[in-house]
Amino acid sequence: MTVLQLQGTKLEQKRISKPLPLVRFFLASVGLLFIVAMHYFQHNPGGSGLELSFNAAAWIPFSVAISCGLLEICRQKVWRYSRMTLLLFSCCVLLTLPVFYPNADGFAASNRLLTLWAGFLFFTSLQQFVFTHSQRQRLLWFITIAVLIEAVFGWYQFLWLTANNRFGYDIIANRPYGIFQQPNVMASFLATGLVIAAYLLARLPRYRGKWVWQHMILLAVPVLTIPLLVVLNSRTGWLGATIGSLLMLPYLYRFAAKYQQRMWGLMLLLGLALAWQVSSTTDSSFSHQARITLDSQRSIMMPQAYEMFTSKPLTGYGYGKFEAAYITQTALWHHQDPQQYPAGVASLDHPHNELLYWAAEGGIIPLLGLILAALAVLVSIKKAPNGTQLALVGLFFPIVLHTQLEYPFYHSLAHWIVFIILIFWVDNLTAKYHRYQTQYVLALKVSAIALPVMITSFMITTLYSGWLLTKFETTRPVDINYLVKVNNPWAWQHRFEWDLHLTQLQLGIATDKPQLVADYVRWANQKAQTWPRPALYQNLILAYYNQGKTAQAEQVATEAQQLFPGISLPSTTTAATSSAK
């Protein structure tokens, strides 16, 4: 009897090889991101994106994770995808199209679009691995551990930091923002962790009737996060945590054991009791009046952004041009009818609503892309097994709510990655995966190797340049050598240019060098067209006064008053304004 050997011959059926090694590298990079990189602290003046050091640090393992997914395609010579992959790709295309409009500033919008496509590549990378149950669960565990780390850091800030601490934390306001440097971003992160912990608890049975250490970690989440959410005084966080937890209750009731339900309820009560105790024995200076001020700004800027969209619904005002278009258009409306149209909010580069932001800049096309993405996720949730749909909505709720009230994806790369992981989680529960065979993978392999090298190099120089700029801004007397050593001005475009030209203006006035003042005037006039800030106008007026050009100074002052009603304008003896906020 002859036995036909198929193994090792061309007759063997093509199958996916064992993917364990790259799975480990991928999960290790995601774990490094959530457990180490996103908690990196380095002094900075605030802002968003790469201006915050923890975002630059998080990009390094993020790029490695994407690279692992691309290399897995090369190794298997198979691209795994689902209907969600194609829909999200279409959404990304729709969100990218307006960058090619004539009114767009591609460079100004490049960071946002690169992060968008990086998120899509990360989603695709997640789909390339056939995770075991425990490996897939590990993705949510990484997020939970990151939330616990931030919660512990928040309590450290709230209870133990003293004045003039190494983190620059304001113990007077005392709103523990963790690494995020913004209380609402911290709150939505904690709220997401609270909901994920409840979800994981229902999926974690006792081993041989005994509690395991994972139970202890999950039950610690509400005790640590709920009092901190109260201390943060963030209604975005409160609402996200409350509704997210309520949406999770049917899931717990159906899938969690009775003892798990009782223990989770007990920990929620304990967290609330600690919250009441902390709030009654401590005081935060973030007063009721301050909250009213924030709310009043939202009530102004959001309708204004909506008005911008409706005035140019097809093309928008141009990608990368929101701030200049917003302050100019609102000033025009306010000048025409001060009673109906309030003045715009100065230095506003985002309307605190993600839908309005893309719609105002790009018109209807990117708005349709966002709506399509939301519908794709909702359809996948609807296809999920009975009893799980509300819980899956609850996982998304804190972050989605936050995107409609602020801009967490620009403050925190971790929020964006958590959001992508949650989309993958829902898709993985319901999707049917397709396989596309490919033989030509050389270009993809080169890209996969070059991507983390390029991003790591860029982010390291970004962190180094940020450190130099902070040293330059805080060292007295000023040491220009710090500014000269900056090796990545692209990541710090506004801040680097501001420091350079402000120093130029101050030096020109102090040493009576008209050429330096003239150079500042030339730069400021050009910069004001794309980056109109009150301090920029104030310093430009001062420069004109120094040159003896009173007519030009008064003309700029008139424009500044129109753009920023009530702005304080300098006289001939006023010092240059150092802050561009």
Side-chain angles (χ1 to χ4, degrees):
M1 182 177 180
T2 303
V3 177
L4 181 62
Q5 297 289 339
L6 297 180
Q7 186 73 24
T9 71
K10 292 184 179 180
L11 296 176
E12 180 192 9
Q13 185 179 1
K14 183 69 176 178
R15 65 185 183 187
I16 296 179
S17 60
K18 204 171 184 179
L20 284 178
L22 281 180
V23 166
R24 291 169 181 162
F25 283 119
F26 178 83
L27 291 175
S29 61
V30 176
L32 183 65
L33 189 156
F34 282 110
I35 299 174
V36 180
M38 66 162 284
H39 311 286
Y40 174 75
F41 174 78
Q42 181 176 300
H43 285 288
N44 61 81
S48 61
L50 297 182
E51 295 172 336
L52 303 173
S53 55
F54 61 88
N55 286 328
W59 264 102
I60 296 174
F62 184 44
S63 66
V64 174
I66 294 173
S67 177
C68 288
L70 298 179
L71 287 174
E72 183 67 10
I73 297 175
C74 299
R75 192 169 73 90
Q76 304 289 0
K77 294 186 177 179
V78 171
W79 171 44
R80 297 179 76 240
Y81 67 96
S82 65
R83 183 178 298 177
M84 179 72 77
T85 315
L86 302 179
L87 287 173
L88 292 182
F89 176 79
S90 301
C91 297
C92 290
V93 170
L94 291 175
L95 289 168
T96 306
L97 280 177
V99 80
F100 300 105
Y101 293 177
N103 62 353
D105 183 349
F107 180 78
S110 59
N111 287 343
R112 188 198 336 168
L113 294 178
L114 287 174
T115 306
L116 171 71
W117 283 101
F120 174 76
L121 287 177
F122 180 66
F123 177 80
T124 304
S125 297
L126 283 163
Q127 291 186 315
Q128 304 316 305
F129 300 103
V130 183
F131 294 113
T132 65
H133 176 73
S134 61
Q135 288 172 337
R136 190 169 63 252
Q137 295 267 97
R138 206 171 300 167
L139 294 170
L140 298 185
W141 273 101
F142 287 146
I143 301 171
T144 305
I145 294 172
V147 169
L148 287 172
I149 292 172
E150 284 304 311
V152 171
F153 187 30
W155 281 116
Y156 175 66
Q157 290 173 326
F158 184 69
L159 297 176
W160 288 289
L161 283 183
T162 58
N164 301 317
N165 55 81
R166 64 183 298 267
F167 297 105
Y169 176 74
D170 184 357
I171 64 170
I172 304 300
N174 209 14
R175 299 182 76 198
Y177 46 62
I179 197 65
F180 300 109
Q181 299 182 206
Q182 212 281 342
N184 288 334
V185 179
M186 174 71 159
S188 65
F189 192 68
L190 295 178
T192 301
L194 177 64
V195 176
I196 289 176
Y199 183 79
L200 285 174
L201 184 66
R203 300 172 65 89
L204 186 67
R206 286 197 299 181
Y207 179 69
R208 293 181 179 177
K210 297 180 180 179
W211 291 92
V212 293
W213 61 270
Q214 289 98 326
H215 286 105
M216 302 299 105
I217 292 177
L218 295 176
L219 292 174
V221 172
V223 179
L224 289 173
T225 58
I226 291 176
L228 207 55
L229 284 168
V230 173
V231 168
L232 280 165
N233 215 352
S234 167
R235 280 177 283 186
T236 300
W238 296 346
L239 193 59
T242 301
I243 297 181
S245 297
L246 290 175
L247 290 171
M248 200 59 62
L249 288 180
Y251 186 79
L252 283 167
Y253 179 77
R254 180 163 182 172
F255 295 102
K258 294 294 183 183
Y259 65 87
Q260 291 175 318
Q261 298 172 20
R262 289 193 294 266
M263 287 302 299
W264 182 255
L266 182 62
M267 293 302 105
L268 289 177
L269 292 175
L270 181 57
L272 291 171
L274 289 174
W276 180 83
Q277 177 66 22
V278 170
S279 63
S280 62
T281 56
T282 59
D283 183 32
S284 173
S285 68
F286 189 74
S287 64
H288 177 66
Q289 183 61 40
R291 293 198 302 272
I292 291 176
T293 301
L294 289 177
D295 291 340
S296 64
Q297 286 191 336
R298 285 197 186 101
S299 66
I300 292 173
M301 66 181 72
M302 289 184 182
Q304 288 172 333
Y306 177 74
E307 191 78 16
M308 289 174 65
F309 166 62
T310 56
S311 64
K312 289 188 177 182
L314 295 181
T315 62
Y317 285 78
Y319 269 11
K321 295 183 176 181
F322 177 82
E323 182 174 352
Y326 167 80
I327 201 65
T328 304
Q329 187 63 62
T330 54
L332 179 62
W333 289 333
H334 180 67
H335 180 71
Q336 293 173 347
D337 189 350
Q339 298 299 323
Q340 182 177 356
Y341 297 101
V345 179
S347 306
L348 184 71
D349 55 6
H350 192 289
H352 288 216
N353 181 286
E354 199 65 23
L355 294 175
L356 290 175
Y357 183 46
W358 292 86
E361 281 200 342
I364 191 66
I365 295 298
L367 183 60
L368 291 176
L370 292 173
I371 294 173
L372 177 61
L375 290 175
V377 174
L378 288 174
V379 169
S380 292
I381 290 176
K382 188 177 180 181
K383 293 179 180 178
N386 291 333
T388 65
Q389 292 97 335
L390 288 179
L392 295 176
V393 173
L395 292 175
F396 285 94
F397 189 83
I399 291 181
V400 172
L401 173 68
H402 197 183
T403 62
Q404 302 309 299
L405 298 173
E406 282 184 332
Y407 45 111
F409 294 150
Y410 304 83
H411 276 293
S412 167
L413 179 65
H415 279 67
W416 177 234
I417 297 171
V418 170
F419 189 68
I420 298 299
I421 289 175
L422 293 179
I423 294 177
F424 166 75
W425 185 271
V426 170
D427 184 60
N428 191 253
L429 291 175
T430 61
K432 177 182 178 181
Y433 284 96
H434 308 278
R435 291 172 172 82
Y436 177 77
Q437 301 284 342
T438 177
Q439 298 296 325
Y440 304 101
V441 296
L442 179 60
L444 190 61
K445 186 178 295 186
V446 172
S447 301
I449 296 172
L451 181 69
V453 174
M454 294 171 59
I455 290 181
T456 299
S457 302
F458 186 85
M459 296 305 162
I460 290 175
T461 57
T462 296
L463 291 170
Y464 177 66
S465 298
W467 177 80
L468 288 172
L469 288 171
T470 301
K471 293 290 289 184
F472 171 77
E473 292 164 356
T474 57
T475 302
R476 294 294 179 270
V478 173
D479 187 351
I480 197 67
N481 289 321
Y482 288 121
L483 206 57
V484 173
K485 293 178 182 178
V486 170
N487 57 5
N488 189 349
W490 301 280
W492 299 97
Q493 180 193 9
H494 295 311
R495 187 179 171 197
F496 177 74
E497 289 182 358
W498 178 264
D499 286 345
L500 176 65
H501 292 283
L502 178 64
T503 304
Q504 189 179 47
L505 174 63
Q506 293 171 336
L507 185 62
I509 293 175
T511 60
D512 195 20
K513 293 184 178 179
Q515 185 57 45
L516 293 178
V517 178
D519 289 341
Y520 178 85
V521 168
R522 190 180 306 110
W523 169 80
N525 275 300
Q526 182 179 4
K527 191 70 173 177
Q529 298 176 19
T530 58
W531 198 62
R533 296 288 172 101
L536 185 68
Y537 277 85
Q538 290 167 339
N539 289 342
L540 181 57
I541 294 169
L542 182 65
Y544 275 131
Y545 277 137
N546 181 263
Q547 291 180 322
K549 298 179 180 179
T550 305
Q552 287 90 331
E554 292 177 351
Q555 181 180 356
V556 174
T558 301
E559 182 179 337
Q561 285 287 4
Q562 184 176 9
L563 294 176
F564 316 105
I567 185 176
S568 177
L569 298 176
S571 63
T572 56
T573 59
T574 307
T577 303
S578 60
S579 175
K581 299 295 184 182

